[in-house]
């Protein structure tokens, strides 16, 4: 809804594409499917899924052509990056793509089987490298990354791979998450790069909370 404020600045063709994209998503969004057999889809629904794939393929082709050029120009200086970002923000990349990605993730959470049948997700995944290269040119990117990563809860075991042995799932806890949890009465602490919950031990310990 926030983007509707800028609808007057969009071209008629871009606005039409956005409406078409939303129409496709709305047709694929699961409604009242009483009596429908799981993992079976009507021909009409599969047709909309196929249309979404073709639409995504055309969109990704355009963005795949635009981003390398944008990255090349933006790498000249911070001023160039700011100007190029403004242009990209008003292009298909900045208007259609963000909403499409969110919509596909939503549809995937609601009906993973149908989205696998549609086959639009691998097409979007192909843009990750282009987007990553462009985003790495953003001023202050390295500083922000260092602030996010340079604390013991992540640096210790995650990057050495010790927590990934035996294909164990690694849960990353941000510093802000730890602080908020402890403010709410929890007792998390970081030891050798791993976050431990010692709330239960706190009630049994004879040493007191200050030592812990």
């Amino acid at each position: 809804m926030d983007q509707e404020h800028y609808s007057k600045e969009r071209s008629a063709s871009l606005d039409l594409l956005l409406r078409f994209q939303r129409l496709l998503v709305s047709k694929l969004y699961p409604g009242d499917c009483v009596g429908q057999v799981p993992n079976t889809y009507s021909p009409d629904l599969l047709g909309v899924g196929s249309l979404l794939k073709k639409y995504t393929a055309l969109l990704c082709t355009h963005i795949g052509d635009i981003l390398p050029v944008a990255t090349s120009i933006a790498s000249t200086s911070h001023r160039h990056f700011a100007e190029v970002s403004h242009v990209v923000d008003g292009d298909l990349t900045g208007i259609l793509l963000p909403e499409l990605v969110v919509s596909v993730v939503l549809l995937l959470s609601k009906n993973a089987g149908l989205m696998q049948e549609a086959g639009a997700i691998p097409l979007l995944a192909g843009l990750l490298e282009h987007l990553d290269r462009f985003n790495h040119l953003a001023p202050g990117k390295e500083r922000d990354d260092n602030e996010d990563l340079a604390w013991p809860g992540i640096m210790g075991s995650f990057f050495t791979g010790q927590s990934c042995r035996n294909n164990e799932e690694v849960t990353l806890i941000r510093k802000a998450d730890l602080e908020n949890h402890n403010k709410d009465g929890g007792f998390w602490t970081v030891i050798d790069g791993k976050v431990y919950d010692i709330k239960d031990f706190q009630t049994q310990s004879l040493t007191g909370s200050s030592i812990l």
Side-chain angles (χ1 to χ4, degrees):
M1 295 301 295
D2 293 339
Q3 291 188 3
E4 295 302 326
H5 176 71
Y6 303 100
S7 60
K8 295 182 179 179
E9 301 178 8
R10 294 196 297 259
S11 65
S13 58
L14 189 56
D15 193 63
L16 184 62
L17 281 173
L18 181 58
R19 291 175 183 273
F20 175 71
Q21 176 176 298
R22 290 174 176 175
L23 179 63
L24 287 176
V25 173
S26 67
K27 293 295 184 181
L28 290 170
Y29 191 82
D32 297 327
C33 302
V34 180
Q36 180 177 345
V37 180
N39 298 325
T40 61
Y41 312 108
S42 67
D44 291 342
L45 202 58
L46 292 175
V48 176
S50 177
L51 194 56
L52 176 65
K53 181 179 180 180
K54 293 178 181 178
Y55 169 81
T56 305
L58 291 172
L59 181 64
C60 290
T61 298
H62 170 80
I63 296 175
D65 292 338
I66 290 294
L67 280 180
V69 179
T71 301
S72 177
I73 299 174
S75 63
T76 307
S77 67
H78 292 336
R79 180 179 178 183
H80 283 78
F81 178 84
E83 293 293 336
V84 170
S85 297
H86 180 71
V87 173
V88 170
D89 194 44
D91 184 62
L92 304 182
T93 309
I95 296 177
L96 299 181
L97 182 62
E99 187 171 315
L100 179 62
V101 170
V102 173
S103 299
V104 167
V105 171
L106 175 63
L107 291 172
L108 185 63
S109 67
K110 294 292 184 179
N111 198 333
L114 178 59
M115 293 308 297
Q116 294 295 337
E117 289 280 346
I121 299 175
L123 298 173
L124 290 171
L127 293 177
L128 290 177
E129 185 176 352
H130 294 302
L131 291 168
D132 193 51
R133 288 177 180 174
F134 183 80
N135 289 333
H136 270 68
L137 298 175
K141 188 272 305 180
E142 293 183 358
R143 183 191 68 246
D144 293 339
D145 284 351
N146 289 334
E147 289 179 355
D148 289 340
L149 298 177
W151 74 285
I154 293 181
M155 290 297 288
S157 60
F158 179 67
F159 290 103
T160 60
Q162 295 176 1
S163 295
C164 301
R165 289 178 296 183
N166 300 326
N167 296 322
E168 295 177 350
E169 183 178 354
V170 178
T171 300
L172 298 183
I173 299 176
R174 299 178 302 170
K175 186 177 181 180
D177 295 333
L178 184 142
E179 293 173 347
N180 291 332
H181 179 80
N182 289 346
K183 287 179 181 178
D184 293 337
F187 209 128
W188 286 356
T189 187
V190 180
I191 304 174
D192 293 334
K194 296 181 180 179
V195 177
Y196 292 87
D197 187 352
I198 58 174
K199 179 67 175 178
D200 293 339
F201 184 75
Q202 177 189 11
T203 59
Q204 304 172 9
S205 173
L206 301 177
T207 59
S209 298
S210 58
I211 297 180
L212 288 178

